[in-house]
Amino acid sequence: MTLGGPMLVTEHLVLRPPAREDFEGWVAFHADPETMRFLGGVQPRAAAWRGICAMAGAWHINGFAMFSLIERASGRWVGRVGPWQPEGWPGTEVGWGIAREFCGKGYAREAAIASIDFAFDQLGWDEVIHCINPENTASIRLAERLGAVNRGPTALPAPFESERVDCWAQSAAEWKARRASL
């Protein structure tokens, strides 16, 4: 059973709101130190439960949140990518996080493109940002490939206020001008 909300289908992925059946993948993702290095650190199972519920709740309250990514070929949970703007966030973000075993397959890029299209076309956002730790070279490369420009350091709200992040951004007009070349 899934929550009501959009379902996006790409070449390799299904993007949909998080559901109960995603929980074990979500837990494994949040327990992996390498995956969580730039995403707030490892979380115990109970914190992961609260996180997936917060994401599902954001779909209900805001009408958007990150999607669960499901690999079409296997039906396995791959990660979470999509629009995100919790209280106090520095802007309208499309963020990404892919489980380590699925890294290097282009899934983050594929899902980010679909999510940015959704943010601009369905949510009507004027701008998309990506909050990225300056040491996270993989995410920086993806932001650059997506056409975002580094605007410099930005601040996140508690409990992430001590995290170092730069704000990578682009406008809807900039995205639409280069979208066909992605």
Side-chain angles (χ1 to χ4, degrees), residues 29-103:
F29 175 92
H30 286 85
D32 180 26
E34 183 59 30
T35 298
M36 294 302 293
R37 180 174 172 209
F38 300 113
L39 299 174
V42 170
Q43 295 180 1
R45 188 176 182 87
W49 172 255
R50 288 189 296 276
I52 197 171
C53 288
M55 197 68 67
W59 272 104
H60 177 71
I61 292 170
N62 293 332
F64 66 87
M66 288 193 186
F67 296 98
S68 274
L69 307 182
I70 309 301
E71 187 179 49
R72 289 178 63 186
S74 69
R76 293 174 60 205
W77 189 87
V78 170
R80 61 192 185 37
V81 175
W84 188 235
Q85 190 183 24
E87 180 62 31
W89 215 247
T92 48
E93 179 168 25
V94 167
W96 48 80
I98 303 295
R100 188 173 3 166
E101 67 190 279
F102 295 102
C103 288

Side-chain angles (χ1 to χ4, degrees), residues 118-181:
F118 176 79
F120 288 138
D121 298 341
Q122 302 300 313
L123 300 177
W125 289 2
D126 296 322
E127 175 181 70
V128 162
I129 69 167
H130 317 291
C131 298
I132 303 174
N133 182 299
E135 295 177 19
N136 187 344
T137 57
S139 282
I140 289 169
R141 281 193 309 271
L142 178 54
E144 289 172 336
R145 287 184 69 200
L146 294 169
V149 176
N150 188 349
R151 293 190 181 159
T154 192
L156 299 178
F160 306 108
E161 67 273 15
S162 63
E163 299 286 330
R164 288 181 43 225
V165 294
D166 288 337
C167 179
W168 290 77
Q170 65 184 303
S171 69
E174 291 166 333
W175 174 256
K176 289 176 183 176
R178 75 172 61 83
R179 174 62 176 91
S181 67

